[in-house]
Amino acid sequence: VDPLLAPLVDARPGLRVPGAVNGFEFAVRAIIGQQISVAGARTLVGRLVTVLGEPLATSDGSLTHTFPSPEAIAEADMNGLGITTKRITALQALAQSVARQELVLDASADREETATRLQALPGVGPWTAAYIAMRALSDPDAFPASDLGLRRAFEQHGLAADMKSIM
């Protein structure tokens, strides 16, 4: 039992991190959202979906397209969408790995193998791999320790928030 988290877990028994319906979509959103605001990420993902997703036969409010498939993203020209070249490279490497079935992004995946494969992709570091594992793989042990929100939460509870103390 982790001495830092134990009191928080004891106070909320059964509380779990929400998962993701589609691990590939979540991973794309995680990569796009690295180091930008939630609003900025939402805008970029919206552009990606509008350009590369399939239009629905009948829209449902603001829902007009399906999320793009790994195959659609793997070979797409994403220049002009506002996504940086490094992020485009990361997205295409992710999409190619998923399309070739080298990377599984659901709860059936081997967690260690998936984390290793994710971090081998350009632009995917420990934070992104842990965040994807936590949500897409439902990995209860994944912990994106460098996350600013988590570090602030630790501080609000009077706990050390430096990387050495967290890990």
Side-chain angles (χ1 to χ4, degrees):
V1 174
D2 185 287
L4 293 175
L5 295 178
L8 300 174
V9 172
D10 288 342
R12 293 169 189 85
L15 182 65
R16 297 292 179 259
V17 174
V21 173
N22 183 308
F24 174 69
E25 178 179 342
F26 183 80
V28 168
R29 290 175 178 277
I31 289 170
I32 288 177
Q34 293 171 339
Q35 300 176 340
I36 64 172
S37 70
V38 172
R42 186 174 33 247
T43 297
L44 294 177
V45 170
R47 290 177 189 161
L48 181 83
V49 169
T50 300
V51 172
L52 300 178
E54 293 293 323
L56 297 175
T58 306
S59 63
D60 184 7
S62 62
L63 182 61
T64 60
H65 292 73
T66 61
F67 196 84
S69 67
E71 294 78 9
I73 291 176
E75 302 301 326
D77 179 0
M78 291 183 265
N79 293 311
L81 296 179
I83 302 170
T84 65
T85 302
K86 286 184 178 186
R87 295 273 194 296
I88 290 171
T89 300
L91 292 171
Q92 290 183 320
L94 171 75
Q96 290 164 3
S97 291
V98 171
R100 290 190 300 251
Q101 299 179 337
E102 298 168 348
L103 186 59
V104 176
L105 295 173
D106 63 35
S108 73
D110 179 281
R111 294 174 183 154
E112 288 183 30
E113 179 183 330
T114 302
T116 299
R117 287 180 185 228
L118 282 167
Q119 290 185 65
L121 298 174
V124 177
W127 178 89
T128 305
Y131 187 48
I132 292 169
M134 183 173 67
R135 300 286 300 274
L137 278 56
S138 299
D139 182 350
D141 296 323
F143 189 72
S146 63
D147 186 83
L148 182 59
L150 288 176
R151 292 173 58 202
R152 286 185 178 156
F154 276 116
E155 291 169 353
Q156 288 176 352
H157 286 86
L159 302 169
D162 60 283
M163 291 299 293
K164 186 175 180 182
S165 296
I166 291 173
M167 297 305 289

